[in-house]
Amino acid sequence: MARRSSTPAVPGEPVVERIVDIDVATEMEGSFLEYAYSVIYSRALPDARDGLKPVQRRILFQMHDMGLRPDRAHVKSARVVGEVMGKLHPHGDTAIYDAMVRMAQPFSLRLPMVDGHGNFGSLDDGPAAPRYTEARMAPSALAMTAGLDEDVVDFVPNYDNKLTQPGVLPAAIPNLLVNGASGIAVGMATNMAPHNLVEVIAAARHLVLHPDATLDELLRFVPGPDLPSGGKIIGLEGVRDAYRTGRGAFRTRATARIENVTPRRKGIVITELPYTVGPEKVIEKIKEGVQSKKLSGISDALDLTDRQHGLRLVIEVKTGFDPDAVLEQLYRYTPLEDSFSINNVALVEGQPRTLGLRDLLRVWVDHRIDVVRRRTRHRLAKRTERLHLVEGLLIAIVDIDEVIQVIRSSDDADTARTRLRDVFDLSEPQAEYILELRLRRLTRFSRIELEKERDDLAEQIAALQAILADEALLRSTVSDEMAEVAATYGTPRRTILLESAGGTATAAEGAPAPRGRAAAPALSLEIPDSPCYALLSATGLVARTGSTDVPLRPAPGAHRAKHDVLAGAVATTVRGEVGVLTSRGVVRRVSVLDLPGLPPTDGAPTLSGGLPLSELLALDKGERVVGLVPVGADAPTLALGTAQGVVKRVTPGEAPANRDSWDVIALKDGDEVVGCATVDEADELVFIASDAALLHYPASAVRPQGRPAGGMAGMKLAPGHRVVHFGALPAQDAADGGDDGPVVVTVAGSSTALPGTQAGSAKVTPFSRYPGKGRATGGVRAHRFLKGEDALFLAWVGPAPARATGSAGQPVDLPELDDRRDGSGQPLSAPPLAIG
């Protein structure tokens, strides 16, 4: 191969051509390697520290440089794209705009970094042109760029060496894990799943304080991905493989429930879709399946999605077909069930690496420690410099007349500067600062201000020096900042994690299984009406056991299930019915046959194969499930407690036989039911209020009433406080005063914290330490608040041992038994969701 070049030998002389022979293989190899490295390092793969590709980092930095803060007005997207392309990213404007659009889409990122105004697209349609849309930084982007002016990261030249840009952002948010990433490089690719910010930061804080923490310890905080679209993740073994090796896969399912779409026809209502799947794609695949005879029993599929109610796909089922079997067909042959392959490839020190969960957290934690260390050094240098000037100014103000005389008698500024240094023993910066002093600073009040500033600076310098001198204090500072970020930007988990798909009815027997999936065993719909338990977990899963012989308590008095806490258990039959009591004081009838059956087990049942209750019931906005209750004429007396301290007992036989829902209490405005229990006359009713007051008295003190009644005064509450727990203890348990008797668990925190973000401090105390009081009294104090705590946000009374669970069903360790009735609590390792 010959390469031709034309260069003039001497200016003004004719051009001389030179032909250089090169080896084709060597040229191709060198060019390909340069291209591959450019794609890997400069375009396709994110940095493991801030989780951003170069174009995303440049977009956020340029918006930060333009001052497009969340409290400023939006600007045209075309302006942002032009600034990024002209100053930092010399590539096509389409690529820059596409990257910015994805950073603004809430269905693409778990925590969007750009606040878009206008049509930024959907899962099925692209965005409008950049001249029509507007953008600015989202609040979370401020945490990514905070501290750029404090020398926390290195700046590198831009493409033409005229400007500088950060090589990495400070990234106070673990963006790579929270928002995930996807990209195709040369010879490699990355595909990372989004996670919940609160859970990731909890794991990172544990790693900060325990650098040798194992993967199993971190999995207690991060049980699995949390997708922007919600839905369900089926099977967690692949997720654990990815956390261990960096590679794995899992299946995602839509959130679906069976309900009456017409008075005589049932349908399947889809409210959440798998990640990156759009409703139009689902409707199209359903129509193709019906036409090709792969799907049967479907009469129509409607997309009723709107801005007010969100996603809503309604699939009408033909009369005579089992909706559960139809739903299983949809999972098999449509994108209502999809797979996600995890490939955690990111740049570490400029090199692509496949990282597990611990490595991903460690890289970000190390980056944050370095950022805080550099920021502390920068602030220390600035404050030391300022203190030096303030001390010189104080010297000048003390002898201000002599200072003025020295300056007035000098011929020029250089002479005055030299004489000031000699007469008052000042440094060069101090003398220069005094020469620039304004006359209005010569007041007595200014001197007082300077002395106060000097003292404040000295205190700040000491604190900064202490952080730099003590590695443990530095790590504690980093951990506290992480907690603040979680409290500011954290949101509750959206995706439900299931170990298996549960016992949903399958499609017609003999239907072929899709490629990549094993054929599910057919489930007979003719299930015998045998005794069983209907179970409700704290995370909202419902299921039924195979029989009433299943031990619900692994230890005597321990009413719990593996990986979760039982919020309700009702003895019934497979073809029977149970009631679901909601916070509105409404009981909704549910068929036990609709609940998935749990596989046989030797110990306590696990609800990991349960069904989210939201798929069986359509709750109103703000309505939540309180517990399961028996229905029927022979049902025992039901006791209810409300947030405003009202108590009520409903007489048996009040459930109407021809209605799917009915009220059991007339609530006042602003009140809601917080707890329920079936009781006998001798059982103890227990109230726990947010001000840490506990009250208990016999159920016989509350006379039974009919359904329309509003109850009676149960507990006297302090102004501004509410009931956080209501329950009941059987008479024999309440009388047990030993170490194995019932316990009281209280969890305190700040009333202003975002729900689900604070771990709080917990205390476990024997129930026997609390004396009983009369109905409608204030009770006794059950918890002493620590600094920063002003309320209980969670409490429970029941048989020992108590157990706490997090938002995803992961266990949260409780402290040891404390005999002090009004003692303070011990900090928890993670935010608890429920106790049981």
Side-chain angles (χ1 to χ4, degrees), residues 548-707:
T548 54
D549 296 332
V550 176
L552 296 180
R553 302 178 178 181
H559 206 149
R560 64 184 186 177
K562 297 177 182 177
H563 307 299
D564 209 341
V565 169
L566 285 183
V570 174
T572 179
T573 61
V574 173
R575 294 189 176 275
E577 294 177 327
V578 294
V580 176
L581 177 66
T582 73
S583 56
R584 302 282 176 84
V586 177
V587 172
R588 300 176 184 268
R589 195 190 305 270
V590 173
S591 172
V592 178
L593 190 60
D594 292 338
L595 307 183
L598 296 179
T601 177
D602 294 335
T606 170
L607 265 68
S608 58
L611 184 73
L613 188 57
S614 57
E615 297 189 13
L616 298 177
L617 297 176
L619 301 178
D620 296 334
K621 184 177 180 180
E623 187 177 17
R624 59 182 181 82
V625 174
V626 174
L628 296 181
V629 298
V631 297
D634 56 346
T637 303
L638 179 66
L640 310 175
T642 75
Q644 295 181 3
V646 175
V647 66
K648 179 181 179 181
R649 287 175 63 198
V650 181
T651 56
E654 289 290 336
N658 58 347
R659 295 175 58 183
D660 291 334
S661 64
W662 59 91
D663 295 334
V664 291
I665 185 174
L667 294 173
K668 298 180 180 179
D669 292 340
D671 200 5
E672 64 175 1
V673 177
V674 297
C676 66
T678 56
V679 295
D680 293 328
E681 293 285 326
D683 294 344
E684 287 288 308
L685 304 181
V686 185
F687 281 91
I688 302 179
S690 58
D691 63 346
L694 183 148
L695 173 66
H696 69 90
Y697 47 81
S700 57
V702 182
R703 58 179 175 82
Q705 296 176 310
R707 286 193 301 107

Side-chain angles (χ1 to χ4, degrees), residues 776-813:
T777 60
V780 297
R781 186 167 66 178
H783 195 113
R784 185 184 299 274
F785 295 135
L786 298 172
K787 184 178 180 181
E789 300 175 346
D790 60 358
L792 297 182
F793 64 88
L794 189 61
W796 179 80
V797 177
R803 179 179 182 180
T805 183
S807 59
Q810 73 275 24
V812 177
D813 292 336

Side-chain angles (χ1 to χ4, degrees), residues 495-548:
T495 302
I496 298 173
L497 305 176
L498 300 175
E499 287 284 356
S500 62
T504 306
T506 63
E509 187 174 357
R515 180 177 299 178
R517 279 190 54 188
L523 178 65
S524 174
L525 297 180
E526 294 298 326
I527 302 175
D529 191 22
S530 58
C532 66
Y533 276 111
L535 306 177
L536 169 68
S537 78
T539 54
L541 301 179
V542 288
R544 54 179 167 82
T545 61
S547 69
T548 54

